[in-house]
Amino acid sequence: MSRDALEVIRTRRVVRAMTDEPVPRDLLERVLDAAAHAPSAGNRRFQRFVAVDDGATLRVLRMVSPGMLQRPAAVVVICVDAALAVEYGFRAGSSGLYIDVGTAAQTMLLAAHALGLGSGPVTSFSKAAVSAVLNLPPGWSPELIVCLGRPAATQPPPMALGRRRTWRDLTHWGRLTTTDGA
Ligand SMILES: Cc1cc2nc3c(=O)[nH]c(=O)nc-3n(C[C@H](O)[C@H](O)[C@H](O)COP(=O)(O)O)c2cc1C
């Protein structure tokens, strides 16, 4: 399926109800490949993706992730290899490492949508429990889980109901004056 990129960006919404249809590996691979093309601070790419599509591990991940409202057919856990980043001279906690988690996550969400999959990011989870379940090496920190699956026909209402802010609401042209933003 090929869709106009802006249309994909505009129509993507978090999917919190998914069918139990499995997601074929080749679609997961395309989502992962898209994320490998996301921008990365210094092009260092200290993100590591752990893809999971087996039911038993998914069930345990759900148990330690209160923010995972969907029952995904697959997830990608985006981790930061913080130990390697520090070895390369990045400051521990450097913002670029976490901005890269966001660029990878958004790229996955958009790729999934373009491929006809539903997706949703989750950050409400126990990092210690996810690290233990996935047997992550020391120094890897799980930062965000991208849930993937076929969207169910009916979706729960969006989290905060109300008017979606437009770009005009969010944008200021040029230099701000002292009363702007008050
Ligand atoms: C950093 C981040 C963390 C999020 N964590 C969760 C989460 O734990 N559970 C969840 O259901 N949605 C989570 N979301 C999704 C947001 O709730 C969602 O993007 C927002 O309500 C707007 O909906 P939309 O993306 O469909 O426009 C998260 C989004 C971001 C960017």
Side-chain angles (χ1 to χ4, degrees):
M1 188 194 312
S2 166
R3 291 161 70 182
D4 174 69
L6 286 174
E7 181 64 9
V8 169
I9 290 167
R10 278 203 205 92
T11 58
R12 180 213 56 82
R13 294 280 72 78
V14 166
V15 169
R16 296 197 178 90
M18 295 176 174
T19 71
D20 44 20
E21 195 185 328
V23 177
R25 276 279 169 97
D26 68 303
L27 287 190
L28 294 177
E29 286 173 6
R30 290 175 77 185
V31 169
L32 291 161
D33 176 55
H37 289 82
S40 165
N43 205 13
R44 293 295 191 179
R45 302 191 186 277
F46 293 122
Q47 282 59 50
R48 299 292 175 266
F49 307 140
V50 182
V52 178
D53 62 358
D54 78 274
T57 310
L58 288 170
R59 266 191 298 283
V60 184
L61 287 175
R62 281 193 76 234
M63 286 165 62
V64 299
S65 305
M68 195 182 291
L69 306 178
Q70 53 280 84
R71 288 175 192 277
V75 300
V76 178
V77 181
I78 304 179
C79 305
V80 170
D81 188 342
L84 186 66
V86 168
E87 211 178 295
Y88 273 75
F90 268 64
R91 206 170 21 83
S94 164
S95 62
L97 297 174
Y98 302 96
I99 293 169
D100 282 8
V101 172
T103 65
Q106 174 69 344
T107 304
M108 286 189 208
L109 303 182
L110 292 174
H113 184 44
L115 292 163
L117 295 174
S119 65
V122 172
T123 52
S124 172
F125 58 83
S126 160
K127 287 190 180 186
V130 167
S131 301
V133 171
L134 298 177
N135 195 28
L136 297 182
W140 285 31
S141 165
E143 296 296 332
L144 189 148
I145 301 177
V146 175
C147 297
L148 296 159
R150 297 283 179 195
T154 313
Q155 291 296 317
M159 263 186 178
L161 287 171
R163 188 175 68 86
R164 176 168 285 274
R165 287 174 186 259
T166 70
W167 69 268
R168 285 189 181 82
D169 299 325
L170 301 170
T171 306
H172 192 95
W173 289 106
R175 194 168 171 271
L176 278 77
T177 64
T178 45
T179 54
D180 287 326

